[in-house]
Amino acid sequence: YLAETFRVSYQSLRFIRQSIDLDTFEFRSPDTRSKTDFVIALTLPLRPSAGYETFLTGMVKATRIIPNMKILIADNLPQSQYQYKKDLVLFIRGLGLSRYVDFFNASRLDLSIAARCNIVVVPCSKEAACTRPLLEAFAYGTPVIANRVAGIAEMIHDTTTGILLPADDHNAFTEAVVAMLRDFARARTIAFAARRKVQEEHGLDRNAGDFIDVYQQAIRHKRVLIINLGTIGE
């Protein structure tokens, strides 16, 4: 997208990995959390392309197998798009999931919400560049289940640092969520591997070094175009 838009070679593009300060995230192994009352959080921005309907359809069967489940959905829609939330609430009601689902105000998000959950789910049906919630879940030791789409798939090594599923497959969400909530040993292994990934690839030291390198190149060449890529297409 960038190469075509700005007519530059792929070789001239430089992406800097997102980073977080691990010292501000207290790691909690999944096997130390509740084994009777389960919480699943969907922390990515609420939007029509997020694929929430597919995930929620999969949760109809999952809640029958594991009834002590609460699903939290981030609510950060602007007023102009509020109709989507109303439609989603009706969809949830139609599935019979109203007592299992709550919305929380993402604009006032307490970052530790991931630490209080058993699973963080990222049900994107399209490319996503917003990967910060994944890093936070990794840092807290919360296993992530996500769709295999560009951006997210680059962050997760399937079955090692998380679980990747095909888009638009509600049965896959059912199986993955139930399996993760039942197999505490597997959840623990994934959580520790994800935390190591953050330590090795997304620490502040590495991030600072990458930025310094880019600025040194800019000084040498006397020209540079810097873009803060929030979501694909911006």
Side-chain angles (χ1 to χ4, degrees), residues 8 12 18 40 77 85 111 142 184 204 217 220 228:
V8 296
S12 65
Q18 206 168 22
I40 300 172
L77 280 174
K85 180 185 175 181
L111 296 180
T142 306
F184 299 109
L204 292 181
Q217 290 183 42
R220 287 195 299 270
N228 178 10

Side-chain angles (χ1 to χ4, degrees), residues 153-171:
E154 296 165 14
M155 294 287 297
I156 297 175
H157 188 280
D158 191 24
T159 72
T160 301
T161 58
I163 303 297
L164 290 174
L165 306 176
D168 302 321
D169 187 341
H170 67 271
N171 289 318

Side-chain angles (χ1 to χ4, degrees), residues 38-43 52 55-60 62-63 66-74 92 95 97-104 113 117 119 121 123 177 181:
F38 303 104
V39 180
I40 300 172
L42 290 77
T43 57
Y52 281 12
F55 166 75
L56 291 167
T57 301
M59 291 304 97
V60 173
T63 53
I66 304 178
N68 297 330
M69 182 188 302
K70 178 63 69 175
I71 301 167
L72 304 179
I73 299 179
I92 292 169
L95 293 176
L97 291 177
S98 295
R99 69 187 183 95
Y100 296 100
V101 179
D102 284 332
F103 290 84
F104 64 89
I113 191 169
C117 296
I119 302 173
V121 174
V177 167
L181 293 180

